Amino acid sequence: MANYSRWDDVKKTRAPVAAPRRAEVEQDLALGQLIYDLRTAAGLSQRELAARMGTTQSVISRLEEGGGARNRIDTLARVATALGRHLVVSFPEHVPDELPDAVQVA
């Protein structure tokens, strides 16, 4: 798969998704966009982030492109650590309308 840096381009290359699955795909893409935004704000290349995580550049590329499969929490925790961030998983009864540096997945 080509190395895309913007989600609009990625979305255009994907096959249409049935309505029940569409929300999951959108969440994957939003999470990938967040990882991309945090990485570029930190001034890191995909290769540099991969080195910090002990993985390969292609893994980072897949994460930023929406993964193709649900991202595992341990992988997301490694991304957060490599970016000097924290990963917070929460099950609140009420969620604020907007959370900075976050993707709401439920």
Side-chain angles (χ1 to χ4, degrees):
M1 182 179 271
N3 185 10
Y4 294 99
S5 60
R6 301 306 315 161
W7 288 116
D8 290 338
D9 294 333
V10 174
K11 289 178 188 179
K12 290 175 189 171
T13 65
R14 292 189 177 215
V17 179
R21 174 94 169 97
R22 185 164 185 77
E24 290 178 14
V25 171
E26 289 295 327
Q27 290 169 355
D28 289 343
L29 292 174
L31 182 57
Q33 182 68 53
L34 178 61
I35 293 169
Y36 169 84
D37 291 343
L38 293 172
R39 176 183 61 77
T40 57
L44 298 173
S45 67
Q46 287 182 343
R47 191 173 309 277
E48 291 167 327
L49 178 57
R52 288 185 179 194
M53 291 176 58
T55 190
T56 64
Q57 177 274 327
S58 63
V59 168
I60 305 305
S61 178
R62 278 194 306 273
L63 286 171
E64 291 182 359
E65 289 180 355
R70 302 305 269 172
N71 291 307
R72 293 174 37 157
I73 289 179
D74 61 325
T75 301
L76 297 175
R78 289 173 49 216
V79 169
T81 299
L83 291 170
R85 297 292 189 119
H86 301 277
L87 176 66
V88 177
V89 177
S90 178
F91 300 95
E93 189 170 327
H94 302 284
V95 179
D97 289 336
E98 190 172 318
L99 297 169
D101 296 339
V103 173
Q104 185 174 335
V105 294

